[in-house]
Amino acid sequence: MNSARVDVAVIGAGQAGLSAAYHLQRRGLNYVVLDAEEGPGGAWRHRWRSLRMATVNGISDLPGIAKPAVDPSEPSSEFLTRYFRDYEEELGLAVRRPVKVRSVSREDTDPAGRLAISTSDGEWAAKAVINATGTWTRPFWPIYPGQSTFRGRQLHVADYVSAEEFAGLHVIVVGGGISAVGLLDEISQVTSTSWFTRREPVWRDAEFDARAGHDAVALVEERVRKGLPPQSVVSVTGLIWTPALRAASARGALDRQPMFTAIEPDGVRLADGSLLRADVILWATGFRAELEHLAPLHLRGPGGGIVMDGTRVAAEPRVHLVGYGPSSSTIGANRAGRAAVAAILKLPGVAPAAETVTWG
């Protein structure tokens, strides 16, 4: 079991965590990255194989080293796991795995003191924590009347493997995001589907340019500054028409219906009172931020979220959240890693232990 003191502990080694590690190492800080996964790749290790690089929703280069040439037909889980692994090895980043962080608490009442980090690999103490745990480990399952009576199969997109396992079955897909429409496209090519969302989806014909991206991130950032739970960037950008989705629409796979009122043993009760028989309900209902290990710090406010100032938790400047809220996109995660390290360098008692390291 380990017991060590560092300037900064990064929790999670996905895009945001590796970006933070790059900037910590570059600035000469004593740090460690604690990652719960068995190997590199973060949540990408678990994505379904049918999610190819040609259809993945925009992956930004990690700082310092560009992505290698991309084969559009390669599964994103394979390509990005390999990219992250090579990135860690080439830069010699201080990643330890598998290490599960159980809790983060204050060592004492000194606001400039250390944070105690209890893990499956012993105890750590850090002057600051950069939390980059993402959302993949916390799939969100809505609760509907009669849900437990359904005789078919229910699964979340986190458990999805391939469309072929549903051949010959009627599949209900619930959710209005990119994953929902992408899986409707796949599944509707091998079997019958129905699509349900709480709100009418918003579609974009125009390309999603820099201005639209800036405006979307600003809306999400406004929520977290108020201490409200963050919405995904996609929830405010809308869905973008692609040739594949237009083909799915032509097949009728994107004929959206308002949410059913109840789940019954053989299907779902529709808003008009009729019963739609179904064999599978696939919940493409998103994820929530994995922050349970931060509970001892009591960061959540009355709005249900955490009041943020950039990447910094307003009530606890030693804690930064990256890959959270406005920085949940890959480009945002890279920027957040850099911003978090710059802010941590301003904390009392935090100073580089070595000269700045540069690559390339």
Side-chain angles (χ1 to χ4, degrees), residues 39-47 74-88:
W44 291 106
R45 293 168 54 83
H46 308 290
R47 301 284 183 174
E74 184 174 8
S76 59
S77 57
E78 294 181 4
F79 177 88
L80 289 163
T81 295
R82 185 172 66 252
Y83 176 40
F84 284 18
R85 180 200 66 210
D86 293 348
Y87 185 85
E88 291 180 16

Side-chain angles (χ1 to χ4, degrees), residues 191-261:
T191 195
S192 61
T193 59
S194 298
W195 184 27
F196 292 85
T197 69
R198 287 193 300 121
R199 291 183 291 272
E200 187 74 40
V202 177
W203 291 91
R204 296 177 61 93
D205 286 305
E207 280 294 318
F208 190 66
D209 58 17
R211 169 51 60 182
H214 176 273
D215 292 347
V217 168
L219 288 172
V220 180
E221 188 168 17
E222 183 180 357
R223 285 184 61 86
V224 298
R225 281 186 177 275
K226 294 178 179 178
L228 300 173
Q231 292 176 317
S232 68
V233 173
V234 171
S235 71
V236 293
T237 63
L239 298 164
I240 299 174
W241 283 114
T242 65
L245 291 179
R246 290 196 183 279
S249 181
R251 290 194 301 274
L254 301 185
D255 293 341
R256 172 261 178 188
Q257 299 185 57
M259 277 305 296
F260 42 80
T261 59

Side-chain angles (χ1 to χ4, degrees), residues 150 170-173 192-196 257 260 262-270 272-281:
F150 185 59
H170 186 73
V171 180
I172 287 174
V173 177
S192 61
T193 59
S194 298
W195 184 27
F196 292 85
Q257 299 185 57
F260 42 80
I263 301 174
E264 300 186 11
D266 297 317
V268 297
R269 186 65 58 180
L270 303 184
D272 65 6
S274 62
L275 178 70
L276 173 66
R277 293 185 175 275
D279 304 292
V280 179
I281 301 175

Side-chain angles (χ1 to χ4, degrees), residues 60-80:
S60 178
D61 293 354
L62 286 161
I65 300 177
K67 290 194 305 289
V70 175
D71 176 357
S73 67
E74 184 174 8
S76 59
S77 57
E78 294 181 4
F79 177 88
L80 289 163

Side-chain angles (χ1 to χ4, degrees), residues 4 34 42 88 107 110 119 148 152 154 230 238 254 274-275 277-278 283 298 303 312 348 352 358:
L34 305 172
E88 291 180 16
E107 278 195 340
D110 181 0
T119 83
S148 63
Q154 296 187 62
L254 301 185
S274 62
L275 178 70
R277 293 185 175 275
W283 297 95
H298 303 291
R312 180 176 65 88
T358 59

